[in-house]
Amino acid sequence: MAIPKEEITEIRNSVNIADFIGQFVALKKSGQGFQGLCPFHNEKSPSFNVTPSKGIFKCFGCGKGGSIFDFVMEYKKIGFQAAVKEVADFAGIHVQIDQADSFKANPNANLYEINNQASYIFENYLLITEQGNNARDYLKKRGVNEKIAKQFNLGLSADSPNFLYQGLSKKFEEDVLAKSGLFNFSNKQAYDVYQNRLMFTIHDQNGQVIGFSGRIWQENDERQGKYVNTTTTPIFEKSDVLYNLHRAKDTIKKTKEVYLMEGFMDVIAAYKSGINNAVAIMGTALTEKHIKTLARLASKIVLVTDGDKAGQAAIEKSLKVISNIDVQIVKIPDAQDPDEYARDHGALALENLLINFRMSKSEFLMDYLRPTNLNNVVNQLEFLQKMAEVIAGEKNTELQTVYMRRLVEILPDFEYNQVEQAVKNVIKSKRPNQKSFPINSSGQSHYSNQDSNSFSSSSFSNRYEESDFASYDAQEFSQSLPTRKITKSEKLEWQLLHRMLLQPDFLEKISQDVSVKFIHRETASLYDAMILEQLTQGMIDDIYFPESLDPELRNLYYDILAQNLPEVISENELDEILSALRRETILSKVEKLKLEGLKAQNEGNQKRELELANEIFQLRKSLQDN
Ligand SMILES: [Zn+2]
C-alpha cells in the first residue's frame, strides 16, 4: 500500500534535513543553513547548500535540489516510496511498503516480461542455430564477435511466419500478445513482425527490454525497410529511445559526457574503441525529451555525424533543440559513419577522432552555414547575422573574440568592429542588463557586469544607449544566487515567486491580480502552476506541489526557493516588484526595436530606422510617465 499523504508529511516534519543529509555529506554551518561538497558532482569548494528552515537542499554548482525525499532518491537511486521509508527509518517511524503492490501497480509488467522473453529467444537463435551461424559470420565480417554480440544482446529472428508466436502464445494472455508489438494479426492468424532479421534489443534506462529493431542482413534480401522498429506500445515510443543508455549511464555520469550517434552499429563501434558512453537515437529527430534525459546525467553532448549533407543538416537541426547543456561536434571524414571509419582505419583511429577532433557549435556552423557565393554583400550580411546569434551564445568571451576574428577573415566587406557590434546587439537583445552571480569558495557571490563595456559601441545603439536600466534599485541580495546567469527581469520574477511561496498572503493577493504578467516563459509556467495549485488545493504543499511539476520546472521551483532574500519584507515590496516588472517588459521591447534599428541601418533603410527610433522614443517616454 502506498504511504498516506499525512504520514509522509509527519515523517518529513520529524526529521531535520541537515541531520539527515549530514549522514552522507560533511556539512558546515553557513548563513541560514549548511554547506558542503556536492555529492552529485565533482567539486573542490562547497556549493551544496542545505536549508533546514525551508526543508530543502540545493547545489549551486550542478543545479540539483529538492526535498529530503528527492535527496534520498537521487543519492540512493531509489523510488519515492522507498525514499520515504529511508527517512522514516531514520526518524524511527515504522512504515510498510508492500513489494507485491508496487509490482501490481505497474500495469505494464507483463509487457516488459514478454519483450524480455522475446529477446532471450532472439539471442539464443543467433547463438545456437544453423541460420544463426550464418548471421554470426555476417557479424564477424562487420567486426562484431560473439562476445560483443552477447554484450549488446544482439539476436536473430527465425525465418518463419510464427516461430516466436508459438514460443510465447502459451505463456501470455491474448491482450498482452496483442499489445506487445511483436505480432501482426490477420484473419485470426498471428504472424511474427520479425522474420529473418538481425535483432537489436532496445532497453529503457533501467535495462528493461522495451522493444526491438530488426535489420535485414542477407544480400539477396529485397524486402522493404532496412530496419523495422517496434511500433508504439504502452512501453515503447521510438522517438523517446536512447539506444544503449542503460549500459552507458554510469560512464556518462562519471565523465559528464555523452556521445550521440546515428546508428546502433556506431555505438557498438565506439564501444570497441573503448568508448562506453555512446548512445544513439532511433532514426528520428533529436527531441527535447532526449536532451532532458541526457542533461540529467551529463554536462556535455558530443554529436557524432558522418560528414554528408543530410548528416550535417541533421546536426544543425539538433543544435537548435539542444539548450542548457554544452555541445561539441565530431564530423567523420569522407562521409563515413563511425562504424565504417573504424573498419577502415581501426578502433584506435576512431577513438582518436572522437576525443581529439571535436568542433564547437560555432566552428561547425561557421563551416556549415557559410554561403557559397561570398561576393554578394546581402549573403554576407545574412551569414553575419546568423553567426552573430551563434557567437553571442558562446559563453567564453575569449572564444567569442576568436570566432569574430575568423568571421572577419571570411567576410570581405565587413570589418572587425561591425562583426563585434552585431554580436553585441544580439547579446543585448537577449539579456537586457544581465548580471551574473558566480559563487566563490566562501559562498559569497559578487556581481560581474559582463556586458557593460567590453564591446566598443558604434553608431545606432549608441544613440539609444544607457540610462534605460538605471533606476529600479530593489534589494541587491548578495548571497547564494545560482551560478546560472539571470537577467534583471528574471530576478524580479524570482523574487516575486519566492515571496509567493513563503508568504500565503502574497500568494492570495497576486492570484487575484490579473494584471501581473511574466516576461520569461519558464517563470510564467511556474507561476501558472502555482496559481492553479492554490485555486484547486487551497495551498501549495511543499512536497506534493514540486512532485507534480516536470523536472525543468521543479528545478526552477527549488532555485527560486533557495534564494536567500531578507526575511523582513518591506511594506511596499510587492508594489515595487510589480512596477519594476512592468518597466522591464517595456525595456525588453526597446531592446528588440534597437536590434531592428541596427538591421535597418545596415540595410540603409532610413525610413524604417526613423520609425523605429520614434517607437523607442515613445516607449521610453511612457516609462518616465509611469
Ligand atoms: Zn552539485
Side-chain angles (χ1 to χ4, degrees):
M1 207 184 89
I3 306 166
K5 217 169 165 176
E6 300 73 34
E7 217 171 301
I8 292 175
T9 308
E10 188 203 323
I11 292 164
R12 192 268 323 267
N13 290 342
S14 57
V15 176
N16 178 318
I17 186 171
D19 291 346
F20 184 86
I21 293 180
Q23 301 177 93
F24 313 102
V25 181
L27 294 173
K28 263 194 203 155
K29 187 96 184 82
S30 158
Q32 293 183 17
F34 296 85
Q35 266 192 342
L37 293 174
C38 178
F40 305 119
H41 84 282
N42 258 327
E43 62 175 4
K44 293 206 177 78
S45 54
S47 37
F48 180 81
N49 288 261
V50 180
T51 317
S53 61
K54 295 171 192 162
I56 61 169
F57 74 95
K58 177 80 206 172
C59 173
F60 294 113
C62 65
K64 289 235 157 71
S67 69
I68 189 167
F69 304 122
D70 293 316
F71 178 86
V72 191
M73 289 193 285
E74 184 71 32
Y75 192 80
K76 301 211 160 172
K77 302 283 163 230
I78 53 178
F80 183 73
Q81 297 282 325
V84 173
K85 187 163 180 344
E86 288 270 335
V87 179
D89 287 348
F90 180 78
I93 297 171
H94 179 76
V95 292
Q96 227 176 349
I97 342 175
D98 192 334
Q99 295 295 334
D101 256 7
S102 69
F103 186 73
K104 241 185 277 160
N106 187 347
N108 296 321
N110 284 325
L111 284 176
Y112 288 114
E113 188 49 31
I114 194 170
N115 273 285
N116 189 36
Q117 293 201 18
S119 141
Y120 186 77
I121 291 172
F122 294 144
E123 282 173 52
N124 279 308
Y125 201 84
L126 174 69
L127 293 174
I128 303 167
T129 64
E130 187 58 36
Q131 179 76 333
N133 204 9
N134 297 332
R136 289 204 304 280
D137 281 346
Y138 164 84
L139 282 170
K140 230 168 268 164
K141 268 184 227 141
R142 298 204 54 171
V144 178
N145 62 25
E146 219 166 282
K147 192 172 156 219
I148 291 175
K150 274 189 200 165
Q151 267 167 340
F152 278 86
N153 305 95
L154 300 188
L156 182 69
S157 49
D159 192 2
S160 134
N162 49 23
F163 180 86
L164 187 70
Y165 187 76
Q166 282 170 11
L168 296 177
S169 56
K170 287 171 209 86
K171 297 186 190 169
F172 291 90
E173 306 276 338
E174 243 170 75
D175 69 312
V176 178
L177 294 163
K179 271 195 243 161
S180 70
L182 291 165
F183 311 106
N184 289 323
F185 297 87
S186 79
N187 297 330
K188 295 191 176 170
Q189 283 280 317
Y191 298 94
D192 294 357
V193 168
Y194 298 106
Q195 298 175 23
N196 192 25
R197 284 177 182 268
L198 198 62
M199 301 302 294
F200 293 88
T201 307
I202 315 288
H203 302 78
D204 66 11
Q205 262 200 76
N206 304 316
Q208 300 221 65
V209 180
I210 52 173
F212 298 90
S213 185
R215 185 195 197 284
I216 54 175
W217 61 283
Q218 284 170 310
E219 262 171 36
N220 56 2
D221 191 339
E222 281 171 358
R223 285 178 296 173
Q224 287 208 327
K226 190 172 163 195
Y227 285 92
V228 167
N229 299 318
T230 300
T231 52
T232 301
T233 74
I235 60 171
F236 183 83
E237 169 56 61
K238 185 173 84 165
S239 59
D240 291 348
V241 166
L242 286 161
Y243 176 72
N244 198 43
L245 185 59
H246 69 296
R247 293 186 201 94
K249 205 161 60 172
D250 287 343
T251 311
I252 295 173
K253 273 194 233 159
K254 226 181 286 163
T255 58
K256 290 276 148 209
E257 287 189 354
V258 56
Y259 290 93
L260 192 65
M261 312 223 157
E262 285 164 356
F264 311 133
M265 289 306 283
D266 298 334
V267 169
I268 296 174
Y271 174 80
K272 283 166 53 197
S273 303
I275 290 183
N276 302 330
N277 49 338
V279 301
I281 44 179
M282 285 188 73
T284 61
L286 188 66
T287 63
E288 276 177 36
K289 198 160 174 194
H290 288 135
I291 300 298
K292 270 189 192 168
T293 306
L294 293 176
R296 268 180 233 137
L297 304 165
S299 55
K300 184 190 287 170
I301 298 181
V302 182
L303 300 172
V304 182
T305 176
D306 51 29
D308 69 8
K309 263 263 155 342
Q312 292 198 59
I315 294 283
E316 195 213 0
K317 253 194 185 164
S318 298
L319 287 173
K320 286 184 182 149
V321 182
I322 297 175
S323 65
N324 295 326
I325 184 164
D326 288 343
V327 60
Q328 290 182 316
I329 299 107
V330 173
K331 210 159 73 179
I332 311 278
D334 305 322
Q336 287 190 312
D337 60 37
D339 181 38
E340 290 164 340
Y341 187 81
R343 271 185 280 152
D344 280 5
H345 301 89
L348 211 64
L350 179 63
E351 184 189 4
N352 180 38
L353 191 70
L354 292 178
I355 294 174
N356 298 320
F357 289 85
R358 299 179 184 176
M359 286 185 281
S360 69
K361 179 179 175 177
S362 302
E363 286 170 311
F364 172 83
L365 289 174
M366 206 174 302
D367 187 46
Y368 178 74
L369 297 173
R370 182 182 178 153
T372 35
N373 176 8
L374 269 169
N375 295 323
N376 180 326
V377 187
V378 177
N379 284 356
Q380 288 183 50
L381 183 65
E382 269 175 21
F383 181 47
L384 168 63
Q385 270 154 356
K386 280 187 204 160
M387 282 315 298
E389 286 275 339
V390 177
I391 294 171
E394 171 59 58
K395 278 177 250 158
N396 182 310
T397 47
E398 276 86 36
L399 279 178
Q400 282 186 340
T401 313
V402 172
Y403 298 140
M404 288 190 289
R405 291 223 180 90
R406 284 197 200 165
L407 199 52
V408 175
E409 280 166 28
I410 296 173
L411 299 170
D413 294 321
F414 285 83
E415 283 168 19
Y416 185 79
N417 62 350
Q418 292 171 295
V419 171
E420 195 180 44
Q421 187 58 44
V423 173
K424 184 190 167 187
N425 280 298
V426 175
I427 292 173
K428 282 247 160 197
S429 74
K430 291 217 166 120
R431 308 181 291 207
N433 204 32
Q434 157 245 317
K435 300 203 160 104
S436 65
F437 311 91
I439 312 281
N440 65 21
S441 53
S442 68
Q444 298 286 316
S445 75
H446 51 84
Y447 276 113
S448 73
N449 233 328
Q450 272 222 336
D451 61 346
S452 59
N453 275 317
S454 53
F455 292 99
S456 63
S457 306
S458 84
S459 56
F460 184 89
S461 53
N462 234 0
R463 272 179 261 157
Y464 302 96
E465 201 75 337
E466 304 319 326
S467 80
D468 282 348
F469 299 110
S471 83
Y472 180 70
D473 220 348
Q475 297 91 330
E476 298 291 5
F477 310 111
S478 64
Q479 272 196 354
S480 297
L481 279 157
T483 41
R484 185 168 91 75
K485 288 163 187 161
I486 61 170
T487 60
K488 181 167 200 164
S489 51
E490 257 178 306
K491 210 172 116 201
L492 287 164
E493 292 176 348
W494 283 33
Q495 186 185 352
L496 183 59
L497 292 177
H498 180 97
R499 293 303 193 203
M500 286 168 67
L501 285 170
L502 295 176
Q503 307 286 133
D505 50 324
F506 253 65
L507 178 61
E508 246 188 84
K509 209 166 156 191
I510 296 287
S511 61
Q512 285 155 13
D513 185 349
V514 287
S515 74
V516 178
K517 289 260 173 346
F518 279 65
I519 301 170
H520 301 275
R521 188 179 49 81
E522 268 204 316
T523 33
S525 316
L526 182 60
Y527 170 78
D528 289 344
M530 281 164 60
I531 297 295
L532 190 69
E533 187 79 356
Q534 168 71 10
L535 289 177
T536 55
Q537 306 295 318
M539 65 175 288
I540 295 183
D541 183 281
D542 59 353
I543 294 178
Y544 291 98
F545 176 63
E547 285 303 318
S548 72
L549 302 169
D550 21 295
E552 205 178 314
L553 278 192
R554 270 189 66 227
N555 229 347
L556 180 67
Y557 168 89
Y558 285 114
D559 276 338
I560 284 169
L561 204 56
Q563 295 175 98
N564 280 338
L565 302 187
E567 278 179 46
V568 184
I569 298 174
S570 65
E571 212 179 300
N572 44 10
E573 181 174 327
L574 183 59
D575 293 333
E576 277 174 22
I577 299 175
L578 290 178
S579 82
L581 258 182
R582 277 190 278 273
R583 221 184 132 71
E584 289 297 321
T585 311
I586 295 176
L587 289 178
S588 78
K589 230 183 254 169
V590 168
E591 283 305 304
K592 268 193 207 119
L593 294 177
K594 277 190 196 168
L595 192 76
E596 268 186 62
L598 181 79
K599 207 172 145 210
Q601 191 191 39
N602 276 337
E603 286 163 0
N605 187 344
Q606 272 189 349
K607 187 171 159 251
R608 180 80 186 126
E609 201 187 335
L610 210 64
E611 270 171 24
L612 289 162
N614 203 15
E615 264 183 72
I616 291 171
F617 180 75
Q618 302 272 349
L619 283 171
R620 292 180 65 200
K621 199 146 187 326
S622 77
L623 279 179
Q624 281 159 15
D625 296 344
N626 265 327

